[in-house]
Amino acid sequence: MNVLELSEQEIGRRQSLQELRDMGIDPYPAAEYPTNAFSTDIRAEFKDDEPKREVCIAGRMMSRRVMGKASFAELQDSKGRIQVYITRDDICPGEDKDLYNKVFKRLLDIGDFIGVKGFVFRTQTGEISVHAQSITLLSKSLKPLPIVKYKDGVAYDKFEDPELRYRQRYVDLIVNDGIKDTFLKRSTVLKTLRNTLDEAGYTEVETPILQSIAGGASARPFITHFNALNVDMYMRIATELYLKRLIVGGFEGVYEIGKNFRNEGMDRTHNPEFTCMELYVQYKDYNWMMAFTEQLLEKICIAVNGKPESVVNGNVISFKAPYRRLPILDAIKEKTGYDLNGMDEAQIREVCKKLQMEEIDDTMGKGKLIDEIFGEFCEGTFIQPTFIIDYPVEMSPLTKMHRSKPGLTERFELMVNGKELANAYSELNDPIDQEERFIEQMRLADKGDDEAMIIDQDFLRALQYGMPPTSGIGIGIDRLVMLMTGEVSIQEVLFFPQMRPEKKAPKSTVEEWKAIGVPAEWVPVFNKCGYNLITDIKEVNPQKLQMDVCGVNKKYKLGYENPKVEEFAQWIEAANANA
């Protein structure tokens, strides 16, 4: 990397790195460092009346206070932080005091990983600390951390820009309290979910992510090309159709926790790449699945929060069973005053006009129109867990017809805090009915609906071998974690959410600088001075430009022969002529 692309602190750290190497100290040693304690455990287990406990700890140095021959440092390990007390004579018992005077005081930086061997004690101010008897550099940090300062429990100089936090999650995890806790809770959600399904006797499986047909949901897929087969493939939008094939094959119950990909928008509750759990169990129906879901979510909430309630954006949400069950057409009637029962597509389209819905277009069929009405007027109003049930058949191409309500299906969506959390069916296992539903989806595609399903002939073939009565559910894990942790943005529960390409300051190319006479080796020098575009020098005084540019040459000891002021004047003149 060109030294001119580095900040002053980065240059200083690289110089320290070289000095350490010159002293014979490996800044990135390979040997195991035998830690035997963590910060939180040391504090929890300390007792004043017990013999001194010898410990070996390691972590990132987050602060340092040098007071002559003694110093304090704060070490951050994977569980928390602890203070370390370091004296010159303890870590340098011989004549050579360089480890303290030179290495610790000058060549180590905030963010470096160090190992400390010593004993635990309580300082005069009452803080449980580690008295260092030796220190070891384990990894040198070349970029400075943003330092968040705390006073009386209040954080100052926060690293809080969402763009930076999500793009540099590793820094976010280091400096911001509570971020790691969110992801530990996410791990608890997944562990509890997996344990519950395993204890119920269901089998975790894996199905293809690259699929020849994007099936199992109504969504726009990502498309890629499989070179070896010379065919276009789709990133899966759901695992449903493959999991049902396994039910056909004889499994009692199967589930998969994995990534789905939908080539759609991003907002506070949507990410194009998301984690979903889908479960299918033979000989069950959607009524059984509602009861099972209630028990599952209550158990997860207790595991994460210690109680069946969670607080999200000021709302106390109770996951304690049972939940309300409300037919979707009743919900629409309740919120809009319009009863859609028995209405055809034209009549529902007229209702949309009366409701002044501007996003409606001719590509939408009856099911999509109902979905739009529900989404705009109903969905956001259900804060407590509510099962919205009995969807029209047009909205549910993979769902069994309702056993007692013509035109409806045995389907539910679980709404919590105004958003869908789960989607479940009594699964359609009539292969003839399923084929007709697929054909209807293709008609919608012909009308221009780019989210309509494609006919999966192999899945139809599997159904023809016979699938037992089955209930299935999909639960959005990212939204579930949001609910359990109280986060209102999906980006807060994803380690690495999708981001727009990182913006970089525009720069004129080396060829463009050369075109006005500036030698190629001087272009980075101009950039270091803040002159990124040729137009940036148009109105600069030649003497000032010379002072700026030649000053960088001197400061960084580049060894270039400084151009005369007349040359700078010519370059400025050429930049103006070029504009």
Side-chain angles (χ1 to χ4, degrees):
M1 178 178 283
N2 191 316
V3 69
L4 297 179
E5 297 178 24
L6 302 173
S7 68
E8 297 297 319
Q9 289 191 61
E10 289 174 301
I11 292 170
R13 287 179 180 233
R14 289 178 186 240
Q15 290 171 345
S16 296
L17 177 75
Q18 189 57 51
E19 284 192 58
L20 288 164
R21 284 183 166 141
D22 293 343
M23 293 175 67
I25 297 173
D26 184 354
Y28 304 104
E32 173 192 5
Y33 193 78
T35 60
N36 61 15
F38 291 100
S39 56
T40 51
D41 302 329
I42 289 172
R43 284 196 298 273
E45 297 165 4
F46 178 79
K47 293 181 180 178
D48 290 291
D49 55 355
E50 290 188 348
K52 290 180 180 177
R53 177 186 174 187
E54 300 288 334
V55 295
C56 180
I57 62 173
R60 195 184 288 272
M61 187 170 70
M62 297 302 292
S63 68
R64 174 178 52 192
R65 287 181 290 131
V66 177
M67 300 175 292
K69 297 179 183 179
S71 300
F72 287 96
E74 187 178 40
L75 209 65
Q76 177 172 294
D77 62 19
S78 61
K79 291 190 176 182
R81 296 187 182 189
I82 193 163
Q83 181 173 266
V84 178
Y85 176 62
I86 301 170
T87 68
R88 185 190 67 183
D89 294 336
D90 281 332
I91 66 170
C92 304
E95 294 293 323
D96 185 355
K97 306 297 183 183
D98 279 353
L99 181 60
Y100 182 82
N101 291 337
K102 191 172 183 181
V103 176
F104 176 75
K105 290 174 64 174
R106 188 168 65 79
L107 299 182
L108 293 189
D109 291 292
I110 303 304
D112 288 353
F113 281 88
I114 60 172
V116 175
K117 293 180 181 178
F119 60 86
V120 186
F121 77 112
R122 189 187 296 275
T123 66
Q124 292 180 349
T125 60
E127 185 168 354
I128 297 169
S129 307
V130 174
H131 188 129
Q133 294 175 306
S134 71
I135 64 170
T136 304
L137 175 61
L138 300 177
S139 182
K140 183 74 180 150
S141 169
L142 298 184
K143 277 189 173 291
L145 290 169
I147 300 301
V148 180
K149 300 172 185 175
Y150 293 90
K151 185 176 181 181
D152 300 327
V154 179
Y156 298 89
D157 301 324
K158 289 184 178 180
F159 181 67
E160 58 185 358
D161 181 346
E163 175 80 11
L164 289 175
R165 287 184 53 236
Y166 303 152
R167 198 178 296 282
Q168 299 180 32
R169 180 66 83 188
Y170 38 88
V171 177
D172 188 30
L173 289 163
I174 295 168
V175 303
N176 284 331
D177 286 349
I179 302 302
K180 184 181 286 186
D181 290 341
T182 297
F183 291 99
L184 291 174
K185 288 179 179 179
R186 182 183 179 113
S187 180
T188 299
V189 168
L190 289 167
K191 181 166 56 178
T192 308
L193 173 63
R194 188 172 269 116
N195 288 345
T196 302
L197 297 177
D198 289 345
E199 289 168 5
Y202 307 138
T203 304
E204 183 172 10
V205 299
E206 295 173 287
T207 61
I209 290 177
L210 285 177
Q211 301 180 355
S212 58
I213 293 174
S218 297
R220 187 181 299 116
F222 286 94
I223 304 174
T224 186
H225 189 76
F226 197 148
N227 288 337
L229 298 178
N230 194 28
V231 294
D232 285 340
M233 301 287 282
Y234 301 93
M235 302 289 282
R236 72 178 177 203
I237 58 176
T239 55
E240 177 168 347
L241 300 186
Y242 280 94
L243 293 175
K244 286 182 183 178
R245 287 171 169 92
L246 298 180
I247 295 295
V248 170
F251 281 88
E252 176 200 359
V254 292
Y255 73 92
E256 181 169 8
I257 301 172
K259 295 286 190 181
N260 291 339
F261 307 85
R262 298 183 182 178
N263 199 356
E264 298 168 344
M266 297 186 296
D267 58 31
R268 292 172 69 83
T269 58
H270 294 85
N271 196 64
E273 174 187 345
F274 63 97
T275 304
C276 187
M277 187 286 296
E278 288 199 42
L279 165 71
Y280 294 84
V281 186
Q282 63 181 5
Y283 309 126
K284 308 299 184 185
D285 66 3
Y286 80 140
N287 291 310
W288 176 90
M289 188 62 81
M290 278 187 265
F292 182 82
T293 302
E294 291 170 338
Q295 298 164 14
L296 175 66
L297 296 183
E298 183 175 343
K299 187 173 183 179
I300 289 173
C301 192
I302 292 172
V304 174
N305 296 309
K307 55 186 179 180
E309 291 87 32
S310 180
V311 179
V312 183
N313 209 20
N315 296 316
V316 178
I317 297 174
S318 174
F319 287 94
K320 189 171 182 60
Y323 307 157
R324 184 187 183 193
R325 303 182 183 190
L326 179 65
I328 185 171
L329 298 184
D330 290 359
I332 290 174
K333 183 179 179 181
E334 184 180 286
K335 302 299 181 182
T336 70
Y338 288 96
D339 186 352
L340 305 186
N341 274 294
M343 286 191 182
D344 59 21
E345 180 181 323
Q347 291 171 312
I348 295 174
R349 192 175 294 279
E350 193 60 33
V351 169
C352 292
K353 290 180 182 178
K354 292 177 181 177
L355 291 172
Q356 298 180 336
M357 297 176 64
E358 298 178 356
E359 301 299 321
I360 300 305
D361 60 53
D362 293 339
T363 68
M364 296 179 179
K366 180 179 177 180
K368 196 73 177 284
L369 294 172
I370 294 173
D371 193 31
E372 290 291 322
I373 295 172
F374 180 81
E376 185 163 337
F377 295 97
C378 307
E379 183 174 318
T381 67
F382 297 106
I383 303 302
Q384 298 303 320
T386 303
F387 290 117
I388 302 300
I389 64 174
D390 301 346
Y391 282 68
V393 64
E394 293 85 357
M395 299 178 69
S396 314
L398 299 170
T399 312
K400 186 171 286 189
M401 295 295 293
H402 200 285
R403 67 196 74 176
S404 61
K405 298 178 181 178
L408 302 181
T409 59
E410 295 197 348
R411 172 187 177 188
F412 73 77
E413 288 188 336
L414 177 59
M415 299 293 165
V416 188
N417 199 40
K419 288 293 179 181
E420 174 197 345
L421 175 63
N423 188 17
Y425 319 141
S426 293
E427 300 295 337
L428 179 58
N429 61 342
D430 179 342
I432 296 174
D433 189 359
Q434 181 65 83
E435 184 172 15
E436 291 172 352
R437 305 269 195 100
F438 274 146
I439 291 171
E440 177 57 30
Q441 285 287 300
M442 295 307 293
R443 292 195 188 102
L444 292 174
D446 291 340
K447 287 179 63 177
D449 186 348
D450 58 4
E451 294 184 351
M453 290 189 194
I454 301 171
I455 297 178
D456 188 333
Q457 296 292 349
D458 181 68
F459 175 65
L460 288 176
R461 178 169 56 193
L463 284 187
Q464 290 169 23
Y465 282 100
M467 186 175 85
T470 298
S471 183
I473 188 170
I475 297 177
I477 298 300
D478 306 322
R479 288 190 183 176
L480 177 59
V481 175
M482 290 170 63
L483 291 167
M484 296 301 168
T485 59
E487 298 291 352
V488 296
S489 171
I490 196 170
Q491 287 82 9
E492 295 292 346
V493 301
L494 300 174
F495 272 127
F496 304 106
Q498 297 296 329
M499 303 287 290
R500 291 181 175 83
E502 192 168 358
K503 292 181 180 178
K504 295 184 179 180
K507 289 184 178 181
S508 296
T509 65
V510 173
E511 294 303 317
E512 288 172 327
W513 282 101
K514 286 170 65 177
I516 66 167
V518 177
E521 66 270 19
W522 282 94
V523 174
V525 185
F526 275 78
N527 294 159
K528 186 67 174 178
C529 296
Y531 304 117
N532 292 317
L533 299 171
I534 291 171
T535 53
D536 293 340
I537 70 170
K538 283 171 49 181
E539 298 179 3
V540 181
N541 181 282
Q543 285 84 2
K544 180 183 184 308
L545 188 58
Q546 183 191 42
M547 188 181 301
D548 290 343
V549 173
C550 296
V552 169
N553 183 32
K554 179 180 179 180
K555 180 177 181 179
Y556 292 99
K557 301 176 182 178
L558 301 177
Y560 300 154
E561 183 178 346
N562 288 328
K564 295 181 172 58
V565 69
E566 291 81 7
E567 294 177 83
F568 284 98
Q570 291 170 4
W571 297 337
I572 292 170
E573 184 179 347
N576 280 280
N578 222 30

